[in-house]
Amino acid sequence: MATALAHAGWRFRRPSVIPGFGLTFGFSIVYLSLIVLIPLAGVVWRSASLGWPEFWRIASDPRALGALKMSFGGALAAAAVNTVFGTLIAWVLVRYRFPGKRIVDAMVDLPFALPTAVAGIALTTLYAPNGWIGGLLAPLGIKVSYTPLGIIVAMVFIGLPFVVRTVQPVMEEIDREVEEVAATLGARRAQTVRRVILPGLAPAILTGFALAFARAVGEYGSVIFIAGNIPYVSEIAPLLIVIRLEEYNYAAATAIAAVMLAISFAMLFVINLIQAWGRRRYGYGS
């Protein structure tokens, strides 16, 4: 039995600096139940009590659909932008030495430390038509603040560290000699990036994408200031949930939350399947 469990990857009793597997395992389960499972189960239970016709009526409301489309569409766009530029920033921090590198490295973590409301006010001020950046974009006919584009900018801001900090340690493990060997064998730069570098980074990049996407979907504080919050145009789903709660319409708030929960689980499940395929395909993280 023990041999079978060992082959299956189970390790109930292994030497550890924290004694008492039963105590720590039980604490972990209780803590996860209180913090994660019970609140999510409450949302599902409250939604189920509405009945399918009432739930569908609330979920298919045009305003709710517009808010969900804005939240998930904006989060996808922001995560895609962060995947490209976050990977580029990680590459610069790992592969190059330059004055002020530590300061640039620390700047990546600013969105982690900065209160979201402060970030929202700062972004709104910068990208407003009379702001430093918005004033430069206004003559080009580009308006950022109080538009869906502003929502994406805020989501990019809060999601960037997730991509950089996920890709950076994996990139540090890829030896420069691998690139030199590829060049010696006649590979062009594009071939080295596509066939040597990217396959090793793919699982980390996908993980960073998933984390940035999940963070952006639930973002509230930094978005509501720059969004303008116009129903059917620039209103996000978390804000609509708060509006319904302030109206004491708990059924509508719960139904919208349940839809967000279901869509988030489905998208993260698909992303995890892609990550697992990447590990099997390229043999990393196995």
Side-chain angles (χ1 to χ4, degrees):
M1 183 64 182
T3 305
L5 290 176
H7 284 299
W10 294 82
R11 296 289 188 275
F12 283 112
R13 295 182 182 280
R14 300 182 68 180
S16 173
V17 295
I18 301 178
F21 169 77
L23 179 62
T24 54
F25 182 74
F27 177 80
S28 301
I29 295 299
V30 171
Y31 189 81
L32 285 174
S33 298
L34 290 175
I35 300 300
V36 179
L37 295 181
I38 292 177
L40 296 183
V43 172
V44 175
W45 176 79
R46 185 68 177 84
S47 302
S49 66
L50 294 175
W52 176 251
E54 179 65 11
F55 177 84
W56 179 251
R57 185 189 66 78
I58 297 172
S60 60
D61 178 73
R63 186 174 177 181
L65 290 177
L68 289 168
K69 182 180 178 182
M70 187 67 255
S71 286
F72 285 95
L76 272 177
V81 171
N82 278 328
T83 299
V84 175
F85 293 100
T87 303
L88 181 63
I89 292 172
W91 179 268
V92 170
L93 292 175
V94 172
R95 285 291 192 254
Y96 298 100
R97 294 182 178 180
F98 52 89
K101 178 180 176 180
R102 291 187 177 182
I103 297 175
V104 175
D105 196 13
M107 286 170 59
V108 173
D109 293 328
L110 276 178
F112 280 147
L114 198 65
T116 55
V118 176
I121 294 172
L123 291 173
T124 305
T125 304
L126 283 174
Y127 286 96
N130 58 349
W132 289 352
I133 301 176
L136 298 175
L137 297 176
L140 304 176
I142 301 174
K143 185 179 179 182
V144 179
S145 289
Y146 318 121
T147 67
L149 181 59
I151 296 175
I152 296 174
V153 169
M155 289 178 172
V156 168
F157 175 82
I158 55 98
L160 178 64
F162 291 94
V163 177
V164 177
R165 294 309 184 211
T166 305
V167 174
Q168 191 175 1
V170 179
M171 195 174 285
E172 288 173 346
E173 294 180 358
I174 299 178
D175 203 322
R176 280 177 177 270
E177 292 180 358
V178 176
E179 303 167 34
E180 294 170 358
V181 169
T184 303
L185 295 176
R188 294 188 295 272
R189 290 186 177 183
Q191 289 177 317
T192 302
V193 172
R194 182 164 53 87
R195 297 187 177 184
V196 178
I197 303 298
L198 283 183
L201 294 177
I205 291 174
L206 284 172
T207 301
F209 175 86
L211 293 174
F213 168 77
R215 179 71 177 84
V217 166
E219 179 56 17
Y220 178 82
S222 63
V223 172
I224 58 171
F225 293 99
I226 198 172
N229 308 319
I230 305 171
Y232 308 101
V233 178
S234 60
E235 187 177 52
I236 57 173
L239 176 63
L240 185 57
I241 293 173
V242 172
I243 291 173
R244 296 301 183 227
L245 289 175
E246 291 176 344
E247 295 172 347
Y248 301 102
N249 190 351
Y250 300 119
T254 307
I256 297 170
V259 173
M260 288 193 72
L261 186 64
I263 297 175
S264 297
F265 271 143
M267 298 189 75
L268 291 177
F269 180 71
V270 172
I271 293 172
N272 282 333
L273 288 179
I274 296 174
Q275 285 180 291
W277 173 83
R279 292 190 185 98
R280 290 195 303 272
R281 173 68 175 79
Y282 300 110
Y284 291 90
S286 59

